[in-house]
Amino acid sequence: MNKIRVLPEIIANKIAAGEIVERPASVVKELVENSIDALCRSVYVSVASGGKRSITVRDDGEGMTQDDAILAFEHHATSKLHRVEDLAAIATLGFRGEALPSIASVSRMTLRTRPADAQIISGTEVEVQGGVLRSVKPISWDQGTEVVVRDLFFNVPARRKFLRSHETELGHISRLVTHYALAHPEIRFSLQSETRLLIDAVAVTNLKDRVYQIFGERFLDNLVEFAGDYGDIKVRGFTSRPSEQRTNPYWQFFYVNRRMVRDKVISSAVRKAYRNCLPASAYPVVILFVELPFDQVDVNAHPAKTEIRFRDQSTVHDLIFKAIDEALARSTVIPPYRYQAIGQQIAGQASDFGAQRSANLPSDDGMAYGTVAEPVSSHPFQPALEYLSRPVASPPERTYDQGALKAVPEMLLNSAMKPETTFSPPAVRILGQLQESYIIACDSQGLLIIDQHAAHERILYEKLAQQIKKNSVETQGLLVPILLDLSPHQVAWLEKVMPELAQNGFQVEHFGGTSILIRTVPAIASGVDCRKLVSEILDGLEASERTVDIQEVRDRIAVAVACKAAVKANMSLTVEKMQWLLDQLALTRMPTNCPHGRPTMLRFSLGQIERNFGRI
Ligand code: ADP
Ligand code: MG
């Protein structure tokens, strides 16, 4: 007897649903994508019990005829692809024709819709339960589509059991709506959870206004804009200054042709751009758009459509790296005295930048979008909501497509209004040294506290990195070669990087067993403990890399040498030496952070001083 059977459609749909619908947020994702594809001008999402009880997504898009509304529930039924060639250049968010049948197979779904066509006077209501069509009837309905999904996974108890708390699921949904709201400022997005309106972002004309609507003004203040082009490929977006640090990638929003994606090429380019201004364990905040011809990216890599493949990965990678790297170097604002490094929380003060939420993150791996769940109580919409509910003293209003309901006050977006806090030594007067470790100085905007070691590290790092890049590292021979015993791990690494070490100032040779002789060091490092230095370079490689990345090796050398050769804390400096440090620091690309990512200086602004003395 034959053993192979074609599965009944209802089982096949359930299996497909397993890949697409992981949790309520995945339903919201598919439905919101459908609304965007239907060219809507507004999407309203409403959920109950974190989407577990019900999810409603309503749009004012092009809607469907009755026939289409029934057909939409068939497997592989789509209006977005016609020919096989279309697959090579997908211009819509959906294309698989699987979302509606999949979601309907694991829930009780009601779809109400009416197309724009004036000939069609009534709408259609379709009800499907657990994948079975229950009813189709004409209803009175405005243009657009509403999908209500109740009791998700009511017929898949194993899945239902894996859903998290209402708050966690709502956190995923909020993030999802935020994600798409950022990509489509021209669409109005609302998210309501029971009686709470969490997001209401009216249509605006640009990304900056949308960022403001959702996250608030302070958030925007800490971002720098970046942009870059290469042929047909464009990248643009906002990225955080090094003083803003996160312990997880929750605050990174990546898009390719306005599709939210999760992508290693993008995240590694971002990481590289922050390599020497952010600690290795910290993540920046990034909102990043890649725009490129549709045929240069394959979006059909995974049923959830968040994974993609670029045709030309390295061009995209380099373009992103360069755009962010340059933007960061252009905008070196001195971090304020209330600097928030990761793991710190300033007492009695709500975070300015929605920062430091990681401490209370649930241990949820957030598989659906490769993100980390965020409890809704500390959700980033607060600033926006506060703004929306605050009486605003007649702000200059803008008119947008959809009316000036809650338009963004122009003045708040004007970057010229922000205090200028860049670093300019001619205007800086040195007042003295604190604890033989910090330079205290002032300028017209307040006090500056400079960490002498970190500052010198940045200077030496850039100097050596330049020399390495030009292949012109000045070396210094050691009168007496230094003998160093390595661990077996270090020996293994040494084999791989010996030529690179030699190229960059360290001539080392084997001396039997696991011992080596160090014959030369970079001139910058003369006088430092070379044993420790070489040992640290090798250890650093061990920790970070599985394969050897020459750039990374060079960078490690520069960072390690700079750290060892820089003036230490607890070292008395003359005023001349301090002045020299500040002057040299000003010449670096990134004077505000040491190559490990710590700040080199902090500003205590006049405003802060006056506030603290109760003068303002
Ligand atoms: P896909 O989006 O991949 O085409 P779906 O199962 O999500 O597949 O949707 C099937 C079809 O139903 C779509 O191709 C579209 O024609 C129609 N559709 C779904 N949602 C909407 C909507 N909100 N407005 C208009 N048409 C819709
Ligand atoms: Mg779809």
Side-chain angles (χ1 to χ4, degrees):
M1 198 175 86
N2 294 342
K3 61 180 180 179
I4 299 180
R5 267 180 297 161
V6 173
L7 290 176
E9 193 178 316
I10 207 160
I11 302 182
N13 283 350
K14 257 191 177 177
I15 292 172
E19 291 176 312
I20 299 171
V21 191
E22 181 154 7
R23 58 184 352 140
S26 352
V27 173
V28 176
K29 173 178 185 289
E30 293 298 335
L31 298 181
V32 167
E33 288 187 349
N34 279 347
S35 297
I36 296 171
D37 280 345
L39 304 174
C40 69
R41 300 200 311 150
S42 107
V43 194
Y44 167 79
V45 181
S46 163
V47 298
S49 305
K52 292 189 273 189
R53 197 148 51 97
S54 84
I55 298 167
T56 301
V57 175
R58 185 163 63 232
D59 66 53
D60 57 357
E62 61 198 18
M64 285 174 269
T65 60
Q66 176 169 326
D67 289 351
D68 278 346
I70 298 167
L71 205 55
F73 287 93
E74 294 292 323
H75 225 36
H76 307 299
T78 178
S79 56
K80 301 168 194 174
L81 273 188
H82 299 290
R83 301 161 308 163
V84 68
E85 302 89 80
D86 295 345
L87 252 186
I90 291 164
T92 46
L93 295 170
F95 55 89
R96 303 174 57 94
E98 286 194 305
L100 287 183
S102 298
I103 298 167
S105 72
V106 293
S107 68
R108 302 181 221 274
M109 187 192 274
T110 309
L111 180 143
R112 301 185 180 91
T113 188
R114 188 164 76 96
D117 191 341
Q119 309 285 314
I120 300 170
I121 44 162
S122 83
T124 306
E125 180 183 283
V126 181
E127 266 193 80
V128 183
Q129 282 192 13
V132 179
L133 184 65
R134 293 284 178 198
S135 75
V136 179
K137 58 182 178 219
I139 51 165
S140 124
W141 194 250
D142 281 342
Q143 184 201 328
T145 304
E146 174 184 270
V147 179
V148 184
V149 175
R150 287 195 193 81
D151 307 326
L152 184 64
F153 299 137
F154 78 97
N155 54 352
V156 198
R159 266 292 163 97
R160 196 162 172 91
K161 228 173 35 206
F162 278 104
L163 295 181
R164 303 294 173 119
S165 65
H166 296 356
E167 291 74 22
T168 300
E169 296 301 341
L170 181 56
H172 284 290
I173 292 169
S174 313
R175 179 177 161 82
L176 190 279
V177 176
T178 303
H179 221 123
Y180 269 120
L182 288 171
H184 293 273
E186 76 285 3
I187 298 176
R188 176 178 186 161
F189 279 84
S190 323
L191 170 63
Q192 182 161 347
S193 167
E194 275 134 61
T195 55
R196 278 198 301 159
L197 188 59
L198 294 177
I199 300 177
D200 189 11
V202 295
V204 285
T205 49
N206 61 61
L207 173 62
K208 201 168 178 181
D209 289 1
R210 183 47 59 91
V211 173
Y212 172 83
Q213 287 176 313
I214 295 186
F215 298 112
E217 181 197 0
R218 290 237 178 87
F219 189 89
L220 209 48
D221 267 358
N222 289 301
L223 298 179
V224 288
E225 209 164 346
F226 63 88
D229 283 40
Y230 184 83
D232 288 344
I233 311 175
K234 282 193 181 61
V235 305
R236 65 191 176 90
F238 290 99
T239 199
S240 55
R241 300 183 203 284
S243 54
E244 295 299 337
Q245 302 174 8
R246 297 291 177 279
T247 48
N248 61 59
Y250 184 88
W251 296 81
Q252 301 191 340
F253 301 89
F254 299 153
Y255 307 86
V256 172
N257 292 336
R258 298 219 272 179
R259 173 193 304 281
M260 63 174 262
V261 298
R262 165 171 75 178
D263 181 63
K264 288 214 171 71
V265 173
I266 300 178
S267 54
S268 89
V270 169
R271 206 170 331 110
K272 189 171 163 202
Y274 279 90
R275 189 163 59 191
N276 296 114
C277 59
L278 214 59
S281 55
Y283 293 86
V285 175
V286 189
I287 303 169
L288 182 149
F289 293 85
V290 180
E291 309 276 338
L292 74 181
F294 294 116
D295 62 359
Q296 288 194 27
V297 56
D298 181 5
V299 295
N300 189 18
H302 187 269
K305 301 168 292 173
T306 43
E307 277 164 37
I308 47 140
R309 284 191 209 100
F310 291 112
R311 271 262 180 85
D312 186 355
Q313 296 194 353
S314 61
T315 303
V316 174
H317 178 277
D318 295 353
L319 186 57
I320 294 172
F321 165 73
K322 204 160 149 267
I324 296 184
D325 182 62
E326 281 170 4
L328 289 176
R330 256 200 328 271
S331 132
T332 49
V333 168
I334 302 175
Y337 186 66
R338 295 171 296 123
Y339 188 89
Q340 292 186 25
I342 56 168
Q344 297 175 355
Q345 177 73 65
I346 288 149
Q349 172 189 314
S351 154
D352 272 349
F353 197 46
Q356 315 316 322
R357 298 169 190 286
S358 53
N360 46 9
L361 279 177
S363 58
D364 184 321
D365 56 7
M367 284 307 287
Y369 306 107
T371 58
V372 185
E374 175 111 336
V376 100
S377 53
S378 60
H379 216 266
F381 310 113
Q382 230 40 48
L385 292 178
E386 269 166 30
Y387 164 65
L388 293 173
S389 56
R390 207 167 49 209
V392 181
S394 58
E397 292 206 334
R398 287 184 191 184
T399 357
Y400 296 111
D401 284 346
Q402 306 220 337
L405 262 157
K406 283 156 189 156
V408 183
E410 176 107 50
M411 46 183 275
L412 293 180
L413 297 176
N414 185 350
S415 53
M417 297 266 305
K418 287 173 211 150
E420 195 39 63
T421 55
T422 49
F423 181 53
S424 155
V428 173
R429 191 154 58 89
I430 293 173
L431 301 175
Q433 199 184 10
L434 176 66
Q435 291 281 2
E436 304 196 323
S437 304
Y438 302 99
I439 302 168
I440 308 297
C442 66
D443 62 10
S444 60
Q445 295 154 53
L447 276 177
L448 283 171
I449 306 171
I450 297 126
D451 179 325
Q452 64 193 40
H453 172 69
H456 198 203
E457 250 186 314
R458 167 55 65 179
I459 297 165
L460 292 179
Y461 164 75
E462 291 204 6
K463 191 167 165 195
L464 190 60
Q466 272 304 321
Q467 290 183 3
I468 289 177
K469 199 166 155 194
K470 292 198 201 122
N471 218 340
S472 63
V473 176
E474 293 167 36
T475 56
Q476 162 121 23
L478 297 171
L479 282 178
V480 186
I482 292 174
L483 185 68
L484 173 63
D485 291 322
L486 300 179
S487 70
H489 276 93
Q490 289 175 325
V491 174
W493 274 108
L494 184 75
E495 297 298 329
K496 294 187 189 166
V497 299
M498 207 137 108
E500 197 57 35
L501 282 175
Q503 179 90 1
N504 296 305
F506 293 95
Q507 265 180 26
V508 296
E509 56 194 58
H510 288 291
F511 194 69
T514 57
S515 302
I516 57 165
L517 272 186
I518 308 171
R519 291 204 173 272
T520 68
V521 293
I524 286 180
S526 63
V528 312
D529 181 347
C530 302
R531 278 198 189 86
K532 264 196 175 157
L533 182 53
V534 171
S535 189
E536 269 185 31
I537 292 173
L538 293 172
D539 284 346
L541 292 171
E542 212 179 338
S544 74
E545 295 290 317
R546 269 158 287 125
T547 54
V548 181
D549 170 352
I550 292 303
Q551 267 310 323
E552 179 83 22
V553 176
R554 292 179 178 172
D555 217 63
R556 294 226 161 247
I557 295 174
V559 172
V561 171
C563 182
K564 284 278 174 295
V567 292
K568 302 276 172 295
N570 298 312
M571 188 185 274
S572 173
L573 299 179
T574 60
V575 173
E576 289 73 34
K577 183 79 194 193
M578 292 192 264
Q579 188 65 54
W580 179 87
L581 269 179
L582 298 194
D583 292 343
Q584 293 291 307
L585 186 61
L587 298 176
T588 61
R589 288 186 83 218
M590 179 74 63
T592 52
N593 291 79
C594 85
H596 302 288
R598 277 182 279 107
T600 54
M601 62 180 94
L602 299 173
R603 143 113 42 227
F604 204 5
S605 72
L606 273 178
Q608 275 173 297
I609 294 172
E610 285 173 354
R611 253 195 312 283
N612 282 294
F613 278 113
R615 286 180 170 274
I616 52 172

